[in-house]
Amino acid sequence: MFNFNDVEIVEGNILVPTRIRVSPLSFKRIDRALDTLDVSLGEIKEILPIDKIPEPTFLKFDAKVFIPRNILEKARSEITEMVSEIKWFNPPIEKIKEIIEKMEPEEKDKKLEEKEISSWMHEATAEFVTLRFIQENYNQSNNSYMVTSVGDAYTPGVSCEDLSFAHETGYTVTQQGFANLITPYGKIEVPDNDGSTIIKEKLLAYAHIKSGWGVQTTGHIMKWKSLATTLEGKVKNLVCKNFGGKEDPINPQFFAQVTKNAVKLIKSKITMWSSKDQKVLIEYRDPTNYENVVFKDWIDVPAGKSELNGICGAYPHVPPLVAHIKPKKDAFALQSYDIVEVK
Amino acid sequence: MSYNFPECEWVNGKKLITTRIEMPMWCTSEILNYIIRHPVLEIKLRKIRAIDKDFDSVVESMCAVDWTEDVIQHIDSRKILENVRKTIPLREEVHEWMRVSYAHNVAISVMKQNYANVVSTRKKGIMESEFVTLGGIIDGKSDDPYIPGVQVQDISYVSETGKTVADNGFAKLNTPYGIDHVPILDKKTIIKPKMLAWSAIPWVGNKQWIGAIVKWVKLVKNPFELAKGGIPNVLLTNFSGTEGLSSPVFLAHVPPRFGLRNDVELDIASNKDQRIEIYYRDPRDFTKALCKLTIPLQGNSINKIRYSIRSLFGVSPMLMHIETPDNGLIAVKKFNVRSYLFPFLIPI
């Protein structure tokens, strides 16, 4: 069973909610279980320092699928150099943009009516490559599904299922300092050159907008449709990347901790990789209303690969929980999240 | 609630988001297997009556999308493009293909919104009534598949230049089932065992080209009767703004109870005189067509169509696939299915 219907009406609008597959046993008497919830996180254990594992090699990246064929052929040497050095996980968006710009430059000499390529497309392509990489990896867990969309939010427009950027010029976005994202819950302001995590009662998403002093704006939307859960195996390959901007906007990640049986205690084990020493936010949220935070903590994650163990207990049983993870500085990947039910 | 497929599945090592139909309580997998094993379906058109109604007035009464305010909203992107060309001038950063693509996106949004917004009332008691969401889910997009690229859910175009696509005569569409070839300046309805989508390539340039993808995630099922608007298809215009490629409409034919005969009431508004084709397909494998009906529609009218489907082994829930010719637009205003155990038709 799922926590929400596949189509819901909120505030008179139709919403396609973010859903979690839960076991009916663990969903019973959830209010009581959430009230008595007790979470305890252990000490972080460093497994490998960053010089031993400079890149999270466990992630999936298929250059042939993600990068435009023409650009891949032209820039093979540069890309191969990047692949061998940094395995494509960590190239800053700027670096990808640079390669695309070099291979497919803006057509400045052409007449206005004949022009096809302009500068915003380089930025958007770099984001498209990165987003597909994040999406593909998120979808590796069972039942998990994330959808993404990227492009010029002014013309031709960016929308992802029931979320769309309003049709606003780059000038407007720069002037007002934000872009409007239209959601079934109403308009949400996404700060310019920054990202915004959208957490509503039944919806989890992330939007990012970048405007220069031009008409165009590059925006992207990530929507978690079906969360990765621990119901049928572990959650794996969750990627957080810095998309560049004022406040180092990094996308968050969401997944669900769900037990098969009604148990009072579970042990969890998180294996993660971080490019820098940084603080990472861990929140557990109520699966019946994602806005309710039931547990919150910051953990100090060292650069490289590390492990964290935790314990979660509640009466009459551990409820399903939505985990929200957000690093503060730079690239971060959650290799796996596994639970053991203590009977 | 039970569905024909789980929400996502692994196909060829790729994650597939299936197109789902909500199945009725009476139709267990055993009954469905039994009925589908004997696909002796007979479909018979009984009556068509056209009532004059301006198609534009049907479109005007459809629910609007709120991400765009400065252009008219329509399902015919030719009409939107006329307006876009006036409101968004060509600039250093805004090229012609982007304006065409924007017009497509507005039209696709209107289609998406109206597909989701199907709500019907159900009697709970003598005085009470309950709103039931029957809304379906469609996702779609038009953009340049070379750079930045076009992806809708699990479907994307292979990123090639316009020249390569033009030389080949087709573009490659990447789905979890493999690569599909979509002919340039043409459309293709993608029907896979567990997935329904539509793709169109209305323009190809030297570097850039326009590629659109529409994917059905959950189908709208009967019964519904919409006083305003309807469930539309969409028309994506070419560069000149004169001709357009029309998408299909997918609905779920769900008999309310087991019966040997289903009588179908279908009200369709049409923008022109056209012949539509209705295919009925197996809900467990959409590639299997079970029967077909061709219906002539009168333009600028609401066509009240009544037909019967009969099988001596029972009529199962099915996928209803309505295909329209190019430049054809339709809006389904009413769709109702009645089940009868008596298999023979009563003249009306």
Side-chain angles (χ1 to χ4, degrees), chain B residues 229-259:
Chain B
I231 290 185
N233 68 339
V234 74
L235 193 148
L236 301 187
T237 176
N238 62 4
F239 240 47
S240 64
T242 50
E243 296 288 312
L245 305 167
S246 301
S247 78
V249 173
F250 291 107
L251 297 168
H253 171 108
V254 180
R257 60 188 70 81
F258 177 81

Side-chain angles (χ1 to χ4, degrees), chain B residues 67-346:
Chain B
W67 66 277
T68 173
E69 283 157 9
D70 56 351
V71 295
I72 58 155
Q73 298 192 2
H74 211 285
I75 46 171
D76 185 346
S77 56
R78 292 174 299 188
K79 296 195 172 164
I80 305 167
L81 185 61
E82 267 174 42
N83 191 245
V84 167
R85 282 180 171 150
K86 285 177 205 154
T87 52
I88 305 174
L90 284 180
R91 300 178 206 222
E92 278 299 308
E93 299 164 77
V94 182
H95 311 318
E96 183 55 19
W97 75 263
M98 288 156 67
R99 300 200 293 187
V100 179
S101 204
Y102 175 58
H104 292 168
N105 280 328
V106 175
I108 292 171
S109 284
V110 175
M111 180 202 194
K112 261 161 72 172
Q113 188 81 8
N114 283 281
Y115 198 75
N117 235 343
V118 184
V119 177
S120 100
T121 49
R122 184 164 63 188
K123 274 263 162 18
K124 263 173 97 180
I126 299 169
M127 300 296 284
E128 293 171 287
S129 61
E130 179 191 9
F131 286 96
V132 185
T133 316
L134 301 167
I137 308 169
I138 294 182
D139 201 4
K141 189 181 181 181
S142 163
D143 211 317
D144 167 48
Y146 174 46
I147 55 173
V150 178
Q151 181 179 26
V152 172
Q153 308 238 338
D154 47 7
I155 308 174
S156 59
Y157 280 104
V158 172
S159 214
E160 292 174 315
T161 59
K163 192 176 177 304
T164 313
V165 170
D167 287 347
N168 290 343
F170 58 81
K172 292 172 191 151
L173 190 75
N174 213 340
T175 76
Y177 288 94
I179 300 265
D180 265 71
H181 292 175
V182 183
I184 57 166
L185 309 179
D186 209 346
K187 61 181 182 177
K188 187 171 186 183
T189 306
I190 314 288
I191 295 175
K192 299 291 175 190
K194 296 180 180 181
M195 186 192 90
L196 300 169
W198 180 73
S199 67
I201 302 170
W203 175 76
V204 179
N206 186 34
K207 297 262 174 75
Q208 306 294 90
W209 46 291
I210 296 175
I213 302 171
V214 176
K215 178 167 179 175
W216 282 259
V217 180
K218 186 197 164 198
L219 297 186
V220 169
K221 64 170 190 171
N222 57 283
F224 64 84
E225 184 167 8
L226 305 167
K228 286 181 177 178
I231 290 185
N233 68 339
V234 74
L235 193 148
L236 301 187
T237 176
N238 62 4
F239 240 47
S240 64
T242 50
E243 296 288 312
L245 305 167
S246 301
S247 78
V249 173
F250 291 107
L251 297 168
H253 171 108
V254 180
R257 60 188 70 81
F258 177 81
L260 302 184
R261 192 183 91 227
N262 281 182
D263 285 357
V264 182
E265 298 173 337
L266 196 61
D267 290 1
I268 302 181
S270 170
N271 70 329
K272 61 166 198 168
D273 290 353
Q274 59 183 322
R275 289 179 83 82
I276 58 164
E277 282 172 346
I278 300 179
Y279 297 89
Y280 275 93
R281 295 177 181 277
D282 183 348
R284 302 165 314 160
D285 180 354
F286 297 140
T287 55
K288 286 183 190 163
L290 302 172
C291 56
K292 182 189 161 188
L293 182 68
T294 305
I295 301 172
L297 296 184
Q298 193 177 304
N300 275 322
S301 2
I302 293 175
N303 297 270
K304 291 184 171 288
I305 305 153
R306 305 290 176 261
Y307 58 89
S308 295
I309 304 171
R310 195 172 65 137
S311 168
L312 291 176
F313 298 94
V315 182
S316 72
M318 288 179 283
L319 161 72
M320 189 174 153
H321 165 194
I322 307 175
E323 199 68 52
T324 52
D326 284 343
N327 298 323
L329 279 169
I330 56 166
V332 182
K333 291 187 71 67
K334 183 184 177 183
F335 178 32
N336 194 16
V337 178
R338 284 175 211 278
S339 266
Y340 298 97
L341 277 173
F342 188 63
F344 302 106
L345 297 172
I346 301 160

Side-chain angles (χ1 to χ4, degrees), chain A residues 91-339:
Chain A
I93 299 266
E94 286 304 316
K95 181 72 188 166
I96 308 175
K97 185 185 155 190
E98 231 174 69
I99 293 178
I100 294 162
E101 208 166 2
K102 204 166 133 191
M103 297 305 140
E104 208 57 87
E106 197 181 343
E107 297 162 319
K108 284 186 176 158
D109 309 329
K110 279 193 176 175
K111 280 186 206 163
L112 211 54
E113 300 78 43
E114 292 168 4
K115 279 189 177 185
E116 292 179 37
I117 307 252
S118 64
S119 59
W120 70 267
M121 292 169 208
H122 305 128
E123 178 91 43
T125 313
E127 287 192 11
F128 185 68
V129 171
T130 312
L131 279 178
R132 286 191 75 180
F133 166 63
I134 295 174
Q135 184 184 349
E136 184 77 15
N137 278 289
Y138 188 83
N139 296 347
Q140 293 304 307
S141 305
N142 282 315
N143 301 314
S144 60
Y145 210 82
M146 176 197 275
V147 283
T148 59
S149 186
V150 65
D152 168 33
Y154 174 56
T155 310
V158 175
S159 69
C160 186
E161 279 198 343
D162 44 6
L163 310 174
S164 311
F165 275 108
H167 180 62
E168 295 170 316
T169 62
Y171 302 118
T172 315
V173 173
T174 314
Q175 253 171 18
Q176 63 193 20
F178 60 85
N180 283 301
L181 183 79
I182 316 286
T183 77
Y185 289 93
K187 279 185 185 175
I188 289 172
E189 291 171 5
V190 180
D192 187 17
N193 280 319
D194 206 347
S196 183
T197 305
I198 295 131
I199 300 175
K200 296 286 174 192
E201 190 189 345
K202 296 175 183 178
L203 174 72
L204 298 171
Y206 177 78
H208 180 272
I209 194 90
K210 205 182 255 182
S211 76
W213 279 100
V215 184
Q216 305 299 105
T217 57
T218 309
H220 72 245
I221 303 170
M222 301 163 78
K223 181 178 171 184
W224 283 262
K225 252 179 90 89
S226 176
L227 292 187
T229 71
T230 52
L231 198 60
E232 289 166 6
K234 56 190 174 188
V235 168
K236 54 188 179 183
N237 294 12
L238 311 189
V239 183
C240 301
K241 284 274 300 178
N242 188 334
F243 282 92
K246 276 191 294 209
E247 308 272 332
D248 282 335
I250 300 169
N251 68 288
Q253 278 292 358
F254 296 96
F255 62 93
Q257 175 187 285
V258 182
T259 57
K260 257 186 208 162
N261 306 300
V263 289
K264 291 182 180 63
L265 192 71
I266 58 163
K267 287 180 185 173
S268 58
K269 185 174 143 189
I270 314 172
T271 314
M272 53 209 151
W273 178 94
S274 175
S275 60
K276 285 181 184 162
D277 290 348
Q278 61 179 328
K279 279 193 179 298
V280 176
L281 170 75
I282 295 189
E283 280 180 347
Y284 286 114
R285 293 172 177 273
D286 177 355
T288 58
N289 180 355
Y290 300 141
E291 288 181 45
N292 293 344
V293 178
V294 291
F295 172 82
K296 182 179 181 176
D297 200 359
W298 288 91
I299 52 169
D300 292 303
V301 179
K305 194 172 169 182
S306 53
E307 194 182 281
L308 175 72
N309 290 297
I311 292 177
C312 201
Y315 183 81
H317 53 77
V318 178
L321 293 170
V322 172
H324 170 199
I325 286 191
K326 179 139 188 173
K328 215 168 180 188
K329 272 191 202 161
D330 207 3
F332 174 87
L334 191 141
Q335 183 178 357
S336 70
Y337 184 96
D338 205 3
I339 59 162

Side-chain angles (χ1 to χ4, degrees), chain A residues 31-42:
Chain A
D31 291 345
R32 177 91 200 273
L34 285 169
D35 283 345
T36 57
L37 180 75
D38 194 6
V39 180
S40 159
L41 298 177

